[in-house]
Amino acid sequence: MSLDLVAAGTVATVVVAGTLRAATPIIFASLGGLISELAGCINVALEGVMLVAAFAGVITSAYSALWFPDAPLWLHPWLGCAAGLLAGTALAGLLAVFHLELGADLIVAGIGLNILAQGLTVLLMAHLTGDKGSTASLTSFALPNLRWPGMDGVPVLGVLLNGDGDAGHNVLVYGALAATGWVAWALRHTVFGLRLRAAGENAEAALAAGLPVKRLRYAGLLLSGLLASGGGVFLGMGYLTLFQADMAAGRGYLALAAVFLGGHRPLGTVAAALVFGGATVMAARLGLLAVPAEVVFMIPPLVTIAALVLVKQHQRLAARRRAAAGRATLLSS
Amino acid sequence: MTVAPLAIALEGVEKRYPNGTLANSGVSFAVAAGEIHALVGENGAGKSTVMKMLYGLERPTAGALRIHGRPVDFRHPGDAIAAGVGLVAQHLNLVPSLTVAENVVLGHEPRRAGGRLDRAAAAARVRALAEQSGLAVDPAATVASLPVGVRQRVEILKVLHRGARILLLDEPTAVLTPPETATLFATLRQLAEAGRTILVITHKLDEVKALAGGVTVLCQGRVTGSARMAELDEGALSHLMVGRDLPPPPPRRTARTRPVPRVVARGLGYVDDDGAIRLRDVGFDVAPGEILGIAGVEGNGQDVLARLLSGAAIPSAGDARLDGRVFTGLSPRAVHALGVAVVTEDRLHDGAAPTLSILDNLLATRYARPPLSRRGLIDRGTARRWAQAVIDGFGVRAAGPDQPMGALSGGNMQKLILAREIADAPAFLVASQPTRGVDIAAASALQSRLAALRDQGAAILLISADLDELLALSDRIAVLYRGRIVARFAAGAVDAQTLGLHMTGLGPSLDGDDHDAVA
């Protein structure tokens, strides 16, 4: 009986740990999307930022090993990570310049950068490796896992803390959790958060209050680039240990959906990102069965659409109930 | 006699926008420290541009600004704030989801270690400021939940918090009731006595008279007059402001016969999506050739009433009939086809499409019918001739039918909207705030048009925050408070002060629900 419980608990924690892992890139990107959205600039280029960051991270870590053969091994993934963050943030910076300096429409410019990122990463990959599909021919590095000691064989908790197979969680999984806490805290409790939200909600008021609205929007977009890059780096140097063409696979767009689904609140956004992560895990599980791959790939976007519709429907029903209650009072009075 | 030092001085200031528009030219005037000075003039006269330059939102293309005797070159509002200048804009510039305290300290926040916002200190500062200046507010309230009058207090507190010695106010009373206006004026006088300098834009003669020590008149970007109030009577001031004497206000309907009402509303109620009751048991009659005025502080149901009568919203209870036919609950187009015309409250948002041409805006209600529509195509030639005739006939200052609507001043835009709505000689006109933010001359022209329409036998519902307008035009006045009609008056049986009391819920309540109690 108790053994069954442990087994069930273990399965559940495997799913939880897997969900967290699958959700990590979406959490990073959605936190980035949230910050820029609150600053008044929707960042449609999250997808492209993730791709560029993943690519730069993988390539840099691989070339770091070629260029500095004598350097300690731990250096290469961290160099890659830094390069990935830098490259992704730079792409977001490009979007900021297009929009804030040159007056380009955010949506159009963002989509343009996504298409650019898709093509550019494949072009450079083909040029460097001769392969248009992935960087499998290069030896690239993963960022380290963090493993809690003394958890060997501890049921449930061991799996939760150190993952299925006791290898620990990638450092960026913890990074995503830390980023969640930081974003939630900074938006609510810091002067910067207050100013960012003011600039996003009523730019004219912020301007009249003497706030540097443009600079705040730069900060919002650059921060969103930095956070989304964290997700991209995780994809290439944690989730997998190589770069694949189009490896962001729509996660940047899912992240945007998470921002709206989460009601523009940090914790809501991360909860929505976890739902999307869960859908990915479910898709992977179904992939083990004889379900056609096309159906499996449809699951995360279907969950997204279903979640958006359900939340809206729920709000509408609640509104209708409130209206009905109000009408009852109106007629009875 | 000592001469007070000058707080504000403009010397030959010119502002030419990149598109060539000359907003100000050779503007010179000065305001002494501790003075309340009124800046008046028609819409598009360049008053707001002067304010913007004094607040660093625009930079003059020629001339000099001096603040407290020192020449200044403001590049952005931060510079102006540093020089002790604060602006209370016409469209209140607050962040709705933040609290009063957060809005007040925004840009000058008290901090704790680590860049954290010190909320307790912010609330304490706001409380102290509120006490000093007599502007009562709750620092912890969310701005979105506050009525307009209180939001304006927050706006003034915000300016004071930054240590402003000079306050610029752009039409501060446009959204206020008479009691709120009186409170505001008392506050402004108190601030002036404490040594602060106040420059206020207004359209209203009586406000200039009640408040200002000096007045400067702008017309087409230039100063056309400047005077001490002590030297002027209202006639001379009006002449100075308009450049000519105004026609007398349109006479009220004199025939007191009681024909069959044309419009009959009974038990109108509306519940919004949040379940809040916005309108409750509103009933009224309007006879042909009669104007029924609706008074009320903004947000007490006037907007909802107008939406129900125009077909933009469906009543939750009750209905309204035009010549016996129910017209509420129909689509706006069906309502219009029955002979109901609507001048909406927000002309930039609901009344017109600012980026489209005058022509397209005028077409909006009649493009689908002959003579402008022929076999499904718009006859641009006929339409253009008609539009030009409307522009000429209503005295609209515009370059031609192709000019974008948004390029017009508020008064000219409103003339075109009214022209469009009354072109088909409607049986019933719902006019919401028809002269808000419109200069005196245009307001007077618009009011004459309303009176003319009434004389042709139309029933008119006039919803207005301008009590002078209501008192001048209406045959009867009803007061809306919290979605109910709380008082009804015959014209001439009530004054602005009494209306103001009822508008704020302080009047004796209306006994019974007899819709024809006063008629």
Side-chain angles (χ1 to χ4, degrees):
Chain A
M1 182 67 203
S2 69
L3 215 70
D4 282 355
L5 258 180
V6 170
T10 307
V11 171
T13 38
V14 167
V15 171
V16 167
T19 297
L20 196 57
R21 194 172 119 84
T24 291
I26 307 176
I27 291 176
F28 270 120
S30 65
L31 287 172
L34 175 71
I35 284 194
S36 61
E37 171 76 8
L38 287 180
C41 294
I42 186 167
N43 186 353
V44 184
L46 293 173
E47 179 86 359
V49 167
M50 289 173 93
L51 268 180
V52 166
F55 178 77
V58 168
I59 293 293
T60 307
S61 78
Y63 276 80
S64 163
L66 298 177
W67 290 331
F68 313 113
D70 302 330
L73 273 182
W74 60 261
L75 179 74
H76 310 312
W78 287 113
L79 261 181
C81 177
L85 295 181
L86 208 66
T89 310
L91 192 74
L94 202 58
L95 177 65
V97 170
F98 283 167
H99 175 59
L100 297 172
E101 302 294 341
L102 308 175
D105 182 87
L106 259 181
I107 309 268
V108 177
I111 291 175
L113 287 179
N114 285 343
I115 296 171
L116 174 74
Q118 243 173 22
L120 190 67
T121 49
V122 172
L123 175 77
L124 290 176
M125 177 164 65
H127 180 71
L128 292 174
T129 69
D131 187 345
K132 288 185 201 164
S134 80
T135 60
S137 61
L138 284 177
T139 309
S140 64
F141 294 81
L143 287 165
N145 283 4
L146 293 183
R147 208 178 144 276
W148 297 82
M151 283 291 161
D152 293 354
V154 177
V156 184
L157 199 61
V159 178
L160 186 65
L161 289 180
N162 285 337
D164 196 11
D166 203 31
H169 290 301
N170 189 277
V171 61
L172 284 184
V173 172
Y174 291 103
L177 295 178
T180 304
W182 180 80
V183 168
W185 175 80
L187 285 175
R188 173 97 188 87
H189 291 291
T190 66
V191 169
F192 171 71
L194 180 75
R195 292 180 166 193
L196 193 83
R197 285 185 288 140
E201 190 176 333
N202 186 347
E204 223 174 299
L207 214 56
L211 297 187
V213 170
K214 195 160 148 186
R215 236 183 297 159
L216 284 166
R217 294 201 156 154
Y218 264 111
L221 278 170
L222 288 173
L223 261 178
S224 102
L226 183 68
L227 284 162
S229 298
V233 167
F234 176 75
L235 282 177
M237 306 178 66
Y239 199 70
L240 300 176
T241 315
L242 51 75
F243 179 82
Q244 273 177 349
D246 198 21
M247 93 182 299
R251 288 179 178 87
Y253 296 110
L254 286 182
L256 272 186
V259 173
F260 287 90
L261 200 56
H264 294 86
R265 287 164 199 280
L267 298 184
T269 299
V270 169
L274 283 168
V275 170
F276 297 156
T280 317
V281 171
M282 194 165 92
R285 300 243 141 191
L286 286 179
L288 298 178
L289 308 172
V291 178
E294 289 79 4
V295 174
V296 172
F297 288 138
M298 277 168 59
I299 289 177
L302 275 182
V303 167
T304 311
I305 294 170
L308 285 170
V309 169
L310 282 177
V311 166
K312 198 76 213 167
Q313 209 54 28
H314 176 75
Q315 288 169 352
R316 195 172 298 165
L317 280 178
R320 206 171 295 164
R321 262 198 305 279
R322 284 194 301 269
R327 205 167 305 137
T329 344
L330 179 71
L331 292 177
S332 66
S333 67
Chain B
M1 200 175 107
T2 58
V3 178
L6 293 182
I8 307 172
L10 282 81
E11 291 157 13
V13 168
E14 178 196 282
K15 175 66 193 180
R16 190 184 289 278
Y17 285 99
N19 66 9
T21 312
L22 189 63
N24 285 135
S25 172
V27 171
S28 303
F29 70 91
V31 183
E35 178 187 339
I36 301 181
H37 194 89
L39 190 58
V40 299
E42 306 198 356
N43 265 23
K47 305 182 301 285
S48 292
T49 309
V50 168
M51 289 292 201
K52 284 179 184 167
M53 288 189 290
L54 282 171
Y55 195 58
L57 290 165
E58 303 281 0
R59 285 176 77 189
T61 40
L65 299 178
R66 285 172 190 278
I67 297 296
H68 295 302
R70 207 169 299 145
V72 292
D73 177 20
F74 297 150
R75 282 156 196 275
H76 55 84
D79 294 344
I81 292 168
V85 178
L87 173 73
V88 178
Q90 183 182 8
H91 306 284
L92 297 181
N93 261 337
L94 298 170
V95 186
S97 74
L98 302 185
T99 65
V100 167
E102 285 171 336
N103 267 290
V104 170
V105 300
L106 191 64
H108 295 73
E109 305 87 349
R111 293 162 189 254
R112 288 157 66 193
R116 277 177 300 160
L117 175 68
D118 190 340
R119 287 204 162 77
R125 280 195 200 174
V126 172
R127 226 172 277 122
L129 260 182
E131 214 158 290
Q132 279 170 31
S133 58
L135 294 158
V137 287
D138 171 14
T142 304
V143 164
S145 70
L146 299 176
V148 179
V150 181
R151 288 190 200 195
Q152 191 177 55
R153 271 180 239 162
V154 177
E155 192 78 55
I156 296 174
L157 282 174
K158 202 165 94 179
V159 168
L160 294 178
H161 176 252
R162 294 182 207 132
R165 306 292 306 156
I166 297 175
L167 272 73
L168 313 174
L169 293 100
D170 193 350
E171 289 192 52
T173 61
V175 293
L176 302 184
T177 56
E180 283 175 323
T181 301
T183 310
L184 173 70
F185 283 6
T187 304
L188 293 181
R189 276 188 215 105
Q190 191 181 333
L191 290 171
E193 268 159 36
R196 290 191 169 85
T197 308
I198 293 166
L199 181 63
V200 56
I201 288 183
T202 178
H203 282 308
K204 297 181 186 161
L205 292 173
D206 54 336
E207 292 184 354
V208 176
K209 204 76 184 154
L211 194 61
V215 59
T216 295
V217 183
L218 283 182
C219 185
Q220 297 188 354
R222 295 165 193 278
V223 174
T224 54
S226 211
R228 312 293 317 156
M229 286 313 298
E231 304 156 4
L232 286 175
D233 61 21
E234 191 153 317
L237 181 60
S238 148
H239 194 89
L240 194 63
M241 281 171 75
V242 187
R244 60 187 156 83
D245 290 314
L246 281 177
R252 205 176 282 133
R253 191 174 67 103
T254 43
R256 303 298 307 171
T257 55
R258 287 207 54 198
V260 186
R262 177 149 250 181
V263 179
V264 177
R266 287 291 178 269
L268 279 176
Y270 185 72
V271 178
D272 68 14
D273 278 354
D274 290 326
I277 298 173
R278 302 285 305 279
L279 208 63
R280 177 186 289 221
D281 196 26
V282 166
F284 56 82
D285 298 343
V286 195
E290 182 183 49
I291 296 181
L292 173 64
I294 300 285
V297 181
E298 217 166 331
N300 276 280
Q302 305 91 315
D303 52 335
V304 177
L305 179 60
R307 280 161 53 79
L308 294 183
L309 296 176
S310 67
I314 297 172
S316 309
D319 62 28
R321 293 158 194 264
L322 176 66
D323 294 330
R325 282 173 70 183
V326 173
F327 68 91
T328 47
L330 305 177
S331 74
R333 192 161 176 168
V335 171
H336 187 85
L338 283 175
V340 178
V342 180
V343 173
T344 54
E345 177 179 330
D346 185 346
R347 61 176 162 260
L348 276 175
H349 195 263
D350 302 322
T355 55
L356 296 187
S357 67
I358 291 173
L359 176 61
D360 289 346
N361 272 286
L362 285 176
L363 287 179
T365 54
R366 39 170 42 199
Y367 66 92
R369 284 175 290 132
L372 300 186
S373 165
R374 283 203 309 205
R375 288 182 229 97
L377 296 176
I378 293 171
D379 181 346
R380 302 296 285 193
T382 307
R384 180 178 297 276
R385 278 192 295 281
W386 174 62
Q388 189 61 54
V390 168
I391 290 172
D392 297 339
F394 274 74
V396 175
R397 253 187 275 159
D402 296 319
Q403 192 175 11
M405 195 77 162
L408 301 179
S409 73
N412 285 315
M413 203 184 293
Q414 196 72 333
K415 282 182 188 170
L416 287 170
I417 291 170
L418 185 65
R420 176 184 74 201
E421 293 302 323
I422 66 178
D424 294 325
F428 179 40
L429 173 71
V430 181
S432 294
Q433 319 290 359
T435 61
R436 167 181 293 174
V438 163
D439 61 77
I440 297 179
S444 157
L446 287 163
Q447 288 165 354
S448 304
R449 292 281 173 180
L450 289 179
L453 184 68
R454 170 201 63 198
D455 294 340
Q456 289 160 23
I460 297 178
L461 188 75
L462 174 64
I463 302 174
S464 179
D466 182 344
L467 294 185
D468 296 334
E469 172 172 280
L470 281 178
L471 290 166
L473 283 175
S474 311
D475 298 291
R476 288 177 298 135
I477 297 176
V479 181
L480 268 181
Y481 177 67
R482 297 203 173 151
R484 287 175 189 273
I485 290 183
V486 293
R488 296 163 193 274
F489 301 98
V494 65
D495 58 17
Q497 213 54 36
T498 315
L499 281 178
L501 283 179
H502 286 279
M503 285 161 68
T504 44
L506 297 174
S509 64
L510 192 69
D511 38 52
D513 264 328
D514 184 2
H515 303 298
D516 301 311
V518 185

